[in-house]
Coordinates of all heavy atoms in Angstrom, one line a residue:
V1 N 32.3 23.1 -57.5 CA 32.4 21.7 -57.2 C 31.1 21.2 -56.7 O 30.5 21.7 -55.8 CB 33.5 21.2 -56.3 CG1 33.5 19.8 -55.9 CG2 34.9 21.7 -56.8
T2 N 30.5 20.1 -57.3 CA 29.3 19.5 -56.8 C 29.6 18.0 -56.4 O 30.5 17.3 -57.1 CB 28.3 19.3 -58.0 OG1 28.0 20.7 -58.4 CG2 27.0 18.7 -57.5
T3 N 29.2 17.7 -55.2 CA 29.6 16.4 -54.6 C 28.2 15.7 -54.2 O 27.2 16.4 -54.0 CB 30.4 16.4 -53.4 OG1 29.8 17.2 -52.3 CG2 31.7 17.1 -53.7
E4 N 28.3 14.3 -54.3 CA 27.2 13.6 -53.8 C 27.7 12.6 -52.8 O 28.7 11.9 -53.2 CB 26.6 12.9 -54.9 CG 25.3 12.1 -54.5 CD 24.6 11.5 -55.7 OE1 24.5 12.2 -56.8 OE2 24.1 10.4 -55.6
L5 N 27.2 12.5 -51.7 CA 27.7 11.6 -50.7 C 26.5 10.9 -49.9 O 25.7 11.4 -49.5 CB 28.5 12.5 -49.6 CG 29.1 11.8 -48.4 CD1 30.3 10.8 -48.9 CD2 29.6 12.8 -47.4
N6 N 26.7 9.6 -50.1 CA 25.7 8.7 -49.3 C 26.4 8.0 -48.1 O 27.4 7.4 -48.3 CB 25.2 7.5 -50.3 CG 24.5 8.1 -51.4 OD1 23.7 9.0 -51.3 ND2 24.7 7.5 -52.6
I7 N 25.8 8.3 -46.9 CA 26.4 7.7 -45.7 C 25.4 6.9 -45.1 O 24.2 7.1 -44.9 CB 26.7 9.0 -44.8 CG1 27.6 10.0 -45.5 CG2 27.1 8.5 -43.4 CD1 27.9 11.2 -44.7
T8 N 25.9 5.7 -44.7 CA 25.1 4.6 -44.0 C 25.9 4.3 -42.8 O 27.1 4.5 -42.6 CB 24.9 3.5 -45.0 OG1 26.3 2.9 -45.3 CG2 24.2 3.8 -46.2
G9 N 25.2 3.4 -42.0 CA 25.8 2.9 -40.7 C 26.0 4.0 -39.6 O 25.2 4.9 -39.6
R10 N 26.9 3.7 -38.7 CA 27.1 4.5 -37.6 C 27.3 6.0 -38.0 O 26.8 6.9 -37.3 CB 28.3 4.1 -36.8 CG 28.0 2.7 -36.2 CD 29.0 2.2 -35.2 NE 28.6 2.3 -33.9 CZ 29.3 2.1 -32.8 NH1 30.6 1.8 -33.0 NH2 28.8 2.2 -31.6
P11 N 28.2 6.4 -39.0 CA 28.3 7.8 -39.3 C 27.1 8.5 -39.6 O 27.0 9.7 -39.4 CB 29.3 7.8 -40.5 CG 30.1 6.4 -40.4 CD 29.0 5.5 -39.9
A12 N 26.1 7.8 -40.1 CA 24.9 8.4 -40.5 C 24.1 9.0 -39.3 O 23.2 9.8 -39.4 CB 24.0 7.5 -41.3
Q13 N 24.5 8.5 -38.1 CA 23.8 9.0 -36.9 C 24.2 10.4 -36.4 O 23.6 10.9 -35.6 CB 24.1 8.0 -35.7 CG 23.6 6.6 -36.0 CD 24.1 5.6 -34.9 OE1 24.8 6.0 -34.0 NE2 23.8 4.4 -35.0
F14 N 25.2 11.0 -37.0 CA 25.7 12.3 -36.7 C 24.8 13.4 -37.1 O 24.8 14.5 -36.5 CB 27.1 12.6 -37.3 CG 28.2 11.8 -36.6 CD1 28.8 10.7 -37.1 CD2 28.5 12.0 -35.2 CE1 29.8 10.0 -36.6 CE2 29.5 11.3 -34.7 CZ 30.1 10.3 -35.2
G15 N 24.0 13.2 -38.1 CA 23.1 14.2 -38.4 C 23.6 15.1 -39.6 O 24.8 15.1 -39.9
R16 N 22.7 15.5 -40.3 CA 23.0 16.3 -41.6 C 23.9 17.5 -41.5 O 24.8 17.6 -42.3 CB 21.6 16.7 -42.3 CG 21.8 17.2 -43.6 CD 20.4 17.4 -44.3 NE 20.0 16.1 -44.5 CZ 18.9 15.8 -45.2 NH1 18.1 16.7 -45.7 NH2 18.4 14.6 -45.4
G17 N 23.8 18.3 -40.5 CA 24.5 19.4 -40.2 C 26.0 19.1 -40.0 O 26.9 19.7 -40.6
M18 N 26.3 18.1 -39.1 CA 27.7 17.7 -38.9 C 28.3 17.0 -40.1 O 29.5 17.3 -40.4 CB 27.7 16.7 -37.8 CG 29.1 16.3 -37.3 SD 29.1 15.2 -35.8 CE 28.7 16.4 -34.5
I19 N 27.5 16.3 -40.8 CA 28.0 15.7 -42.1 C 28.4 16.7 -43.1 O 29.3 16.6 -43.8 CB 27.1 14.6 -42.6 CG1 26.9 13.4 -41.6 CG2 27.5 14.1 -44.0 CD1 28.1 12.6 -41.3
A20 N 27.6 17.7 -43.2 CA 27.9 18.7 -44.2 C 29.1 19.4 -43.8 O 29.9 19.8 -44.7 CB 26.6 19.7 -44.2
E21 N 29.4 19.8 -42.6 CA 30.6 20.4 -42.1 C 31.8 19.5 -42.4 O 32.8 20.0 -42.8 CB 30.5 20.8 -40.6 CG 29.6 21.8 -40.3 CD 29.6 22.2 -38.8 OE1 30.6 22.3 -38.3 OE2 28.5 22.4 -38.3
V22 N 31.7 18.3 -42.2 CA 32.8 17.3 -42.5 C 33.1 17.3 -44.0 O 34.2 17.3 -44.4 CB 32.5 16.0 -41.9 CG1 33.6 14.9 -42.4 CG2 32.5 16.0 -40.4
G23 N 32.0 17.2 -44.7 CA 32.1 17.3 -46.3 C 32.8 18.5 -46.7 O 33.7 18.6 -47.6
N24 N 32.4 19.6 -46.1 CA 33.1 20.9 -46.5 C 34.5 20.9 -46.1 O 35.4 21.5 -46.8 CB 32.4 22.1 -45.8 CG 31.0 22.4 -46.4 OD1 30.6 22.0 -47.5 ND2 30.2 23.0 -45.6
K25 N 34.8 20.3 -45.0 CA 36.3 20.2 -44.5 C 37.1 19.3 -45.6 O 38.2 19.7 -45.9 CB 36.4 19.7 -43.2 CG 37.8 19.3 -42.7 CD 38.4 20.6 -42.3 CE 39.7 20.3 -41.6 NZ 40.6 21.5 -41.3
L26 N 36.5 18.2 -46.0 CA 37.1 17.5 -47.0 C 37.4 18.2 -48.4 O 38.5 18.1 -48.9 CB 36.3 16.1 -47.3 CG 36.3 15.1 -46.2 CD1 35.3 14.0 -46.5 CD2 37.6 14.5 -46.0
I27 N 36.4 18.9 -48.8 CA 36.5 19.7 -50.1 C 37.6 20.7 -49.9 O 38.4 21.0 -50.7 CB 35.2 20.3 -50.5 CG1 34.2 19.2 -50.9 CG2 35.4 21.2 -51.6 CD1 34.5 18.3 -52.0
G28 N 37.7 21.3 -48.7 CA 38.7 22.4 -48.4 C 40.0 21.7 -48.4 O 41.0 22.4 -48.9
Q29 N 40.2 20.6 -47.8 CA 41.5 19.9 -47.9 C 41.9 19.6 -49.3 O 43.0 19.7 -49.6 CB 41.5 18.6 -47.0 CG 41.6 18.9 -45.6 CD 41.6 17.5 -44.8 OE1 41.2 16.5 -45.3 NE2 41.8 17.6 -43.4
F30 N 41.0 19.1 -50.1 CA 41.4 18.8 -51.5 C 41.7 20.0 -52.2 O 42.7 20.0 -53.0 CB 40.1 18.2 -52.1 CG 40.2 18.1 -53.6 CD1 41.0 17.1 -54.2 CD2 39.5 19.0 -54.5 CE1 41.1 17.0 -55.6 CE2 39.7 18.9 -55.7 CZ 40.5 17.9 -56.4
A31 N 41.0 21.1 -52.1 CA 41.3 22.4 -52.7 C 42.7 22.9 -52.3 O 43.5 23.4 -53.1 CB 40.2 23.4 -52.5
D32 N 43.0 22.8 -51.0 CA 44.3 23.3 -50.5 C 45.4 22.5 -51.1 O 46.5 23.0 -51.5 CB 44.4 23.2 -48.9 CG 43.5 24.2 -48.3 OD1 43.0 25.2 -49.0 OD2 43.2 24.1 -47.1
C33 N 45.3 21.1 -51.1 CA 46.3 20.2 -51.6 C 46.4 20.5 -53.2 O 47.7 20.6 -53.6 CB 45.9 18.8 -51.4 SG 47.0 17.5 -52.0
L34 N 45.4 20.6 -53.9 CA 45.5 20.9 -55.3 C 46.2 22.2 -55.6 O 47.2 22.4 -56.4 CB 44.1 20.9 -56.0 CG 44.0 21.1 -57.5 CD1 44.8 20.1 -58.3 CD2 42.7 21.2 -57.9
S35 N 45.9 23.2 -54.8 CA 46.5 24.5 -54.9 C 48.0 24.5 -54.6 O 48.8 25.1 -55.4 CB 45.8 25.5 -54.0 OG 46.5 26.8 -54.0
R36 N 48.4 23.8 -53.6 CA 49.8 23.7 -53.4 C 50.5 22.9 -54.5 O 51.6 23.3 -54.8 CB 50.0 22.9 -52.0 CG 49.7 23.7 -50.8 CD 50.2 23.0 -49.5 NE 49.7 21.6 -49.4 CZ 48.6 21.3 -48.8 NH1 47.8 22.2 -48.3 NH2 48.2 20.0 -48.7
K37 N 50.0 21.9 -55.0 CA 50.6 21.1 -56.0 C 50.7 22.0 -57.4 O 51.7 21.9 -58.0 CB 49.9 19.8 -56.3 CG 50.0 18.8 -55.1 CD 49.6 17.5 -55.4 CE 49.9 16.6 -54.3 NZ 49.8 15.2 -54.6
L38 N 49.7 22.8 -57.6 CA 49.7 23.5 -58.8 C 50.8 24.6 -58.7 O 51.5 24.9 -59.6 CB 48.3 24.1 -59.1 CG 47.3 23.2 -59.6 CD1 45.9 24.0 -59.7 CD2 47.6 22.7 -61.0
A39 N 50.9 25.2 -57.5 CA 51.9 26.3 -57.2 C 53.3 25.7 -57.3 O 54.2 26.4 -57.7 CB 51.6 26.9 -55.9
A40 N 53.5 24.4 -56.9 CA 54.8 23.8 -56.9 C 55.1 23.2 -58.3 O 56.2 22.7 -58.5 CB 54.9 22.8 -55.8
G41 N 54.2 23.3 -59.2 CA 54.5 22.6 -60.4 C 54.5 21.0 -60.4 O 55.0 20.4 -61.2
A42 N 53.9 20.5 -59.3 CA 54.0 19.0 -59.1 C 53.0 18.2 -59.9 O 53.1 17.0 -60.1 CB 53.7 18.7 -57.6
I43 N 52.1 19.0 -60.6 CA 51.1 18.2 -61.3 C 51.6 18.3 -62.9 O 51.8 19.5 -63.4 CB 49.7 18.8 -61.2 CG1 49.3 18.5 -59.8 CG2 48.7 18.1 -62.2 CD1 47.9 19.1 -59.5
S44 N 51.7 17.2 -63.5 CA 52.1 17.1 -64.9 C 51.1 16.4 -65.7 O 50.0 16.0 -65.3 CB 53.4 16.4 -65.0 OG 53.3 15.1 -64.5
A45 N 51.3 16.4 -67.0 CA 50.4 15.7 -67.9 C 50.2 14.3 -67.5 O 51.1 13.7 -67.1 CB 50.9 15.8 -69.3
P46 N 49.0 13.8 -67.8 CA 48.8 12.3 -67.4 C 49.7 11.4 -68.2 O 50.0 11.8 -69.4 CB 47.3 12.1 -67.6 CG 46.9 13.2 -68.5 CD 47.9 14.4 -68.3
T47 N 50.2 10.3 -67.5 CA 51.0 9.4 -68.3 C 50.1 8.4 -69.0 O 49.0 8.1 -68.5 CB 51.9 8.6 -67.3 OG1 51.1 8.1 -66.3 CG2 52.9 9.6 -66.6
P48 N 50.5 7.8 -70.1 CA 49.7 6.9 -70.8 C 49.5 5.6 -70.0 O 50.4 5.2 -69.0 CB 50.5 6.6 -72.1 CG 51.9 7.1 -71.8 CD 51.8 8.1 -70.8
A49 N 48.4 4.9 -70.2 CA 48.1 3.7 -69.5 C 49.2 2.6 -69.9 O 49.7 2.6 -71.0 CB 46.7 3.2 -69.9
P50 N 49.5 1.7 -68.8 CA 50.6 0.8 -69.1 C 50.0 -0.2 -70.1 O 48.8 -0.5 -70.3 CB 50.9 0.1 -67.7 CG 49.6 0.5 -66.9 CD 49.1 1.7 -67.5
A51 N 50.9 -0.8 -70.9 CA 50.6 -1.8 -71.9 C 50.0 -3.0 -71.1 O 50.3 -3.3 -70.0 CB 51.8 -2.2 -72.7
A52 N 49.2 -3.9 -71.8 CA 48.6 -5.0 -71.3 C 49.7 -5.9 -70.8 O 50.7 -6.1 -71.5 CB 47.7 -5.7 -72.3
G53 N 49.6 -6.5 -69.6 CA 50.5 -7.5 -69.1 C 51.6 -6.9 -68.3 O 52.4 -7.5 -67.7
T54 N 51.7 -5.5 -68.3 CA 52.7 -4.9 -67.5 C 52.1 -4.4 -66.1 O 50.9 -4.1 -66.1 CB 53.4 -3.7 -68.2 OG1 52.4 -2.7 -68.4 CG2 54.1 -4.1 -69.5
A55 N 52.9 -4.3 -65.1 CA 52.4 -3.9 -63.8 C 52.4 -2.4 -63.8 O 53.3 -1.7 -64.4 CB 53.4 -4.4 -62.8
P56 N 51.4 -1.8 -63.2 CA 51.3 -0.4 -63.1 C 52.4 0.2 -62.2 O 52.8 -0.5 -61.3 CB 49.9 0.0 -62.6 CG 49.5 -1.3 -62.0 CD 50.2 -2.4 -62.7
A57 N 52.8 1.4 -62.5 CA 53.8 2.0 -61.5 C 53.2 2.3 -60.2 O 52.0 2.5 -60.1 CB 54.2 3.4 -62.2
E58 N 54.0 2.2 -59.2 CA 53.5 2.4 -57.8 C 53.3 3.8 -57.5 O 54.0 4.7 -58.1 CB 54.5 1.9 -56.8 CG 54.3 0.5 -56.4 CD 55.2 0.2 -55.1 OE1 55.1 0.9 -54.1 OE2 55.8 -0.9 -55.2
L59 N 52.2 4.2 -56.9 CA 51.8 5.5 -56.5 C 52.3 5.8 -55.2 O 52.2 4.9 -54.3 CB 50.3 5.7 -56.6 CG 49.7 5.5 -58.0 CD1 48.1 5.6 -57.9 CD2 50.3 6.5 -59.1
S60 N 52.8 7.0 -55.0 CA 53.3 7.4 -53.6 C 52.1 7.7 -52.8 O 51.0 8.1 -53.3 CB 54.3 8.5 -53.7 OG 53.5 9.7 -54.2
E61 N 52.2 7.4 -51.5 CA 51.1 7.7 -50.5 C 50.9 9.3 -50.4 O 51.8 9.9 -50.2 CB 51.5 7.1 -49.2 CG 51.4 5.6 -49.1 CD 49.9 5.2 -49.1 OE1 49.0 5.8 -48.5 OE2 49.6 4.1 -49.7
P62 N 49.7 9.7 -50.6 CA 49.4 11.2 -50.4 C 49.5 11.5 -48.9 O 49.3 10.7 -48.0 CB 48.1 11.3 -50.9 CG 47.4 10.0 -50.8 CD 48.5 9.0 -51.0
D63 N 49.9 12.8 -48.6 CA 49.8 13.2 -47.2 C 48.4 13.4 -46.8 O 47.8 14.3 -47.3 CB 50.7 14.5 -47.0 CG 52.1 14.2 -47.4 OD1 52.5 13.1 -47.1 OD2 52.7 15.3 -47.7
V64 N 47.8 12.5 -46.0 CA 46.4 12.6 -45.6 C 46.3 13.0 -44.1 O 47.0 12.3 -43.3 CB 45.7 11.3 -45.9 CG1 44.2 11.4 -45.4 CG2 45.8 10.9 -47.3
E65 N 45.6 14.0 -43.8 CA 45.5 14.4 -42.4 C 44.1 13.9 -41.9 O 43.1 14.1 -42.6 CB 45.4 15.8 -42.2 CG 46.7 16.5 -42.6 CD 46.6 18.1 -42.6 OE1 45.7 18.6 -41.8 OE2 47.4 18.7 -43.3
P66 N 44.0 13.1 -40.9 CA 42.7 12.7 -40.3 C 42.0 13.9 -39.9 O 42.5 14.9 -39.6 CB 43.1 11.8 -39.1 CG 44.6 12.2 -38.7 CD 45.2 12.7 -40.0
I67 N 40.7 13.6 -40.0 CA 39.7 14.8 -39.6 C 39.2 14.5 -38.3 O 38.6 13.5 -38.0 CB 38.5 14.8 -40.7 CG1 39.1 15.2 -42.0 CG2 37.5 15.8 -40.2 CD1 38.0 15.2 -43.2
D68 N 39.4 15.5 -37.4 CA 38.9 15.5 -36.1 C 37.5 16.1 -36.2 O 37.3 17.3 -36.2 CB 39.7 16.3 -35.1 CG 39.3 16.2 -33.7 OD1 38.2 15.7 -33.4 OD2 40.0 16.9 -32.9
M69 N 36.5 15.3 -36.0 CA 35.1 15.7 -36.2 C 34.7 16.7 -35.1 O 33.9 17.7 -35.4 CB 34.1 14.6 -36.3 CG 34.2 13.8 -37.5 SD 33.1 12.5 -37.7 CE 31.5 13.4 -37.9
L70 N 35.2 16.5 -33.9 CA 34.9 17.5 -32.8 C 35.6 18.9 -33.1 O 34.9 19.9 -32.9 CB 35.4 17.0 -31.5 CG 35.0 17.6 -30.3 CD1 33.5 17.9 -30.2 CD2 35.5 17.2 -29.0
A71 N 36.7 18.9 -33.8 CA 37.4 20.2 -34.0 C 36.6 20.8 -35.2 O 36.5 22.0 -35.3 CB 38.8 19.9 -34.4
V72 N 36.3 20.1 -36.3 CA 35.5 20.5 -37.4 C 34.1 21.2 -37.0 O 33.8 22.3 -37.4 CB 35.3 19.4 -38.4 CG1 34.4 19.9 -39.5 CG2 36.7 19.0 -39.0
T73 N 33.4 20.4 -36.2 CA 32.0 20.9 -35.9 C 32.0 21.7 -34.7 O 31.0 22.4 -34.4 CB 31.1 19.7 -35.7 OG1 31.7 18.8 -34.7 CG2 31.1 18.8 -37.1
G74 N 33.0 21.6 -33.8 CA 33.0 22.4 -32.6 C 32.2 21.6 -31.5 O 31.4 20.8 -31.8
A75 N 32.5 22.1 -30.3 CA 32.0 21.4 -29.2 C 30.5 21.8 -29.0 O 29.7 21.0 -28.5 CB 32.7 21.7 -27.9
S76 N 30.1 23.0 -29.6 CA 28.7 23.3 -29.6 C 27.9 22.4 -30.3 O 26.7 22.2 -29.9 CB 28.7 24.8 -30.1 OG 28.9 24.8 -31.5
A77 N 28.3 21.9 -31.4 CA 27.4 21.0 -32.2 C 27.2 19.7 -31.4 O 26.1 19.2 -31.3 CB 28.1 20.6 -33.5
M78 N 28.2 19.2 -30.7 CA 28.0 18.1 -29.9 C 27.2 18.4 -28.7 O 26.3 17.6 -28.3 CB 29.4 17.6 -29.4 CG 29.4 16.3 -28.7 SD 28.9 14.9 -29.7 CE 30.4 14.7 -30.7
A79 N 27.3 19.6 -28.2 CA 26.4 20.0 -27.0 C 25.0 20.0 -27.4 O 24.0 19.7 -26.6 CB 26.9 21.3 -26.5
K80 N 24.6 20.5 -28.6 CA 23.3 20.6 -29.2 C 22.7 19.2 -29.3 O 21.5 18.9 -28.9 CB 23.3 21.3 -30.6 CG 23.5 22.8 -30.6 CD 23.5 23.4 -31.9 CE 23.9 24.8 -31.9 NZ 24.1 25.4 -33.2
Q81 N 23.5 18.2 -29.8 CA 23.1 16.9 -29.9 C 22.7 16.3 -28.5 O 21.7 15.7 -28.2 CB 24.1 16.0 -30.6 CG 24.3 16.3 -32.0 CD 23.1 15.7 -32.9 OE1 22.0 16.3 -32.8 NE2 23.3 14.7 -33.6
L82 N 23.7 16.5 -27.5 CA 23.4 16.0 -26.2 C 22.2 16.7 -25.5 O 21.5 16.0 -24.8 CB 24.7 16.2 -25.4 CG 25.9 15.3 -25.7 CD1 27.0 15.8 -24.9 CD2 25.6 13.9 -25.6
A83 N 22.1 18.0 -25.9 CA 20.9 18.7 -25.3 C 19.6 18.2 -25.7 O 18.6 17.9 -24.9 CB 21.0 20.2 -25.5
K84 N 19.5 17.7 -27.0 CA 18.3 17.1 -27.5 C 17.9 15.8 -26.8 O 16.8 15.7 -26.4 CB 18.5 16.9 -29.1 CG 18.3 18.1 -29.9 CD 18.2 17.8 -31.3 CE 19.3 17.0 -32.0 NZ 19.2 16.9 -33.4
Y85 N 18.9 15.0 -26.6 CA 18.7 13.7 -26.0 C 18.4 13.9 -24.5 O 17.5 13.3 -23.9 CB 20.0 12.8 -26.1 CG 20.1 12.3 -27.5 CD1 21.2 12.7 -28.2 CD2 19.1 11.6 -28.1 CE1 21.5 12.2 -29.6 CE2 19.3 11.1 -29.4 CZ 20.4 11.5 -30.1 OH 20.6 11.0 -31.4
A86 N 19.1 14.9 -23.8 CA 18.8 15.2 -22.3 C 17.4 15.7 -22.3 O 16.6 15.4 -21.3 CB 19.8 16.2 -21.9
T87 N 16.9 16.6 -23.2 CA 15.6 17.1 -23.1 C 14.5 16.0 -23.2 O 13.6 16.0 -22.5 CB 15.4 18.2 -24.2 OG1 16.3 19.2 -24.0 CG2 14.0 18.8 -24.1
A88 N 14.8 15.1 -24.2 CA 13.9 14.1 -24.4 C 13.8 13.0 -23.1 O 12.8 12.6 -22.7 CB 14.2 13.2 -25.6
F89 N 15.0 12.8 -22.6 CA 15.1 12.0 -21.4 C 14.2 12.6 -20.3 O 13.6 12.0 -19.6 CB 16.5 11.7 -21.0 CG 16.7 10.9 -19.8 CD1 16.4 9.6 -19.8 CD2 17.0 11.4 -18.5 CE1 16.5 8.8 -18.6 CE2 17.2 10.8 -17.5 CZ 16.9 9.4 -17.5
A90 N 14.5 13.9 -20.0 CA 13.9 14.7 -18.9 C 12.3 14.7 -19.1 O 11.6 14.5 -18.2 CB 14.4 16.1 -18.8
A91 N 11.9 14.8 -20.4 CA 10.5 14.8 -20.6 C 9.9 13.5 -20.4 O 8.9 13.3 -19.9 CB 10.1 15.2 -22.1
G92 N 10.6 12.4 -20.8 CA 10.1 11.0 -20.4 C 10.0 10.7 -19.0 O 9.1 10.1 -18.6
V93 N 11.0 11.2 -18.2 CA 11.0 11.0 -16.8 C 9.8 11.8 -16.2 O 9.1 11.2 -15.4 CB 12.3 11.6 -16.2 CG1 12.2 11.6 -14.6 CG2 13.5 10.6 -16.5
L94 N 9.6 13.0 -16.6 CA 8.5 13.8 -16.2 C 7.2 13.2 -16.5 O 6.3 13.1 -15.6 CB 8.5 15.2 -16.8 CG 7.4 16.2 -16.4 CD1 7.4 16.4 -14.8 CD2 7.5 17.5 -17.1
V95 N 7.0 12.7 -17.7 CA 5.7 12.0 -18.0 C 5.6 10.7 -17.2 O 4.4 10.4 -16.7 CB 5.8 11.6 -19.6 CG1 4.5 10.7 -19.9 CG2 5.5 12.9 -20.4
G96 N 6.6 10.0 -17.0 CA 6.5 8.8 -16.1 C 6.2 9.1 -14.8 O 5.3 8.4 -14.2
W97 N 6.7 10.2 -14.2 CA 6.4 10.6 -12.8 C 4.9 11.0 -12.7 O 4.2 10.7 -11.8 CB 7.4 11.7 -12.4 CG 7.1 12.2 -11.0 CD1 7.5 11.6 -9.9 CD2 6.4 13.5 -10.7 NE1 7.0 12.4 -8.8 CE2 6.4 13.6 -9.4 CE3 5.9 14.5 -11.5 CZ2 5.9 14.6 -8.7 CZ3 5.4 15.6 -10.8 CH2 5.3 15.6 -9.4
L98 N 4.4 11.9 -13.8 CA 3.0 12.2 -13.7 C 2.1 11.2 -13.9 O 1.0 11.1 -13.1 CB 2.8 13.3 -14.8 CG 3.5 14.7 -14.7 CD1 3.3 15.5 -15.9 CD2 2.9 15.4 -13.4
V99 N 2.3 10.1 -14.7 CA 1.5 9.0 -14.9 C 1.4 8.2 -13.7 O 0.4 7.7 -13.2 CB 2.0 8.2 -16.1 CG1 1.4 6.7 -16.1 CG2 1.8 8.9 -17.4
S100 N 2.6 8.0 -13.0 CA 2.7 7.3 -11.7 C 1.9 7.9 -10.6 O 1.3 7.3 -9.7 CB 4.1 7.0 -11.3 OG 4.8 8.0 -10.9
R101 N 1.9 9.2 -10.5 CA 1.2 10.0 -9.4 C -0.3 9.9 -9.8 O -1.2 9.8 -8.9 CB 1.6 11.4 -9.4 CG 3.0 11.5 -8.8 CD 3.4 13.0 -8.4 NE 2.3 13.9 -8.0 CZ 2.1 14.3 -6.8 NH1 2.9 13.7 -5.8 NH2 1.2 15.1 -6.4
C102 N -0.7 10.1 -11.0 CA -2.2 10.1 -11.4 C -2.7 8.6 -11.3 O -3.9 8.5 -10.9 CB -2.4 10.7 -12.7 SG -2.0 12.5 -12.8
G103 N -2.0 7.7 -11.6 CA -2.4 6.3 -11.7 C -2.4 5.6 -10.3 O -3.2 4.7 -10.1
G104 N -1.7 6.2 -9.4 CA -1.6 5.5 -8.1 C -2.6 6.0 -7.1 O -2.6 5.5 -6.0
G105 N -3.5 7.0 -7.4 CA -4.1 7.5 -6.4 C -5.5 7.9 -6.5 O -6.3 8.0 -5.7

């Protein structure tokens, strides 16, 4: 299976690694669902398209499980992201402190 996914907005802030893990989870859920339906014989031949002017048949809601991104990526991925920001913050504080000491005296 080849997929192409374009992510914009707030979810794009998570980073490529986390997005890849979530994408893999989605593909895994799809494969598991398809496997269960094939094993149960729930998938049949496609029905013909409704005639013009007739309402399409209602589709039943699929069983969809929400994806817990923290569970998928693990707390370590979140810790890595936080560690990057904490390191950058600490470096900024250190540089600010050094500049204030050198400039003040």
